[in-house]
Amino acid sequence: MKLLPQGFEELETWAGAWGMPTQNTRWDKRLASTREELITFYNAVLPHLERILDHVDQYPLGELPEQSARLFDLALMHAEIAPNVELYDGDPNVPHSYEEKRFIAVHGNDRH
């Protein structure tokens, strides 16, 4: 069974492990990943990002079909790790900052 909409087959291998539906799961995934995993995922999704956003933009807010929602989850995961890749050379943590586990996302378990 395909996890993503037609036209995004190249990203299928990422959908299961990286298509996290909530802020907290994306955050946990980032912190549990290695520098190499973050950079590899970032580079795999980046060339498709504009097409992903064009695709999900076809639907009203909150009405994404399941496969499209999973595709959007990949874009959100990309956004979650982008600062770490772009600013901190892929370090899963934010250097010289407060311990991240001290912060609690009030709506972190809500979808998207």
Side-chain angles (χ1 to χ4, degrees), residues 1-2 11 15 20 26 40 43 47 55 59-60 67 77 82-83 86 89 91-92 95-96 98 100 102 106:
M1 181 176 129
K2 291 187 172 251
L11 298 175
M20 302 294 162
R26 288 188 293 273
T40 301
N43 289 333
H55 173 83
Y59 300 95
Q67 290 179 333
M77 188 69 217
E86 295 170 1
D89 195 31
D91 189 336
H96 314 294
Y98 291 104
E100 290 183 73
R102 293 173 56 191
V106 175

Side-chain angles (χ1 to χ4, degrees), residues 11 40-52 78 86:
L11 298 175
T40 301
F41 174 77
Y42 176 91
N43 289 333
V45 174
L46 184 61
H48 305 277
L49 205 51
E50 189 172 340
R51 283 189 322 110
I52 291 171
H78 190 273
E86 295 170 1

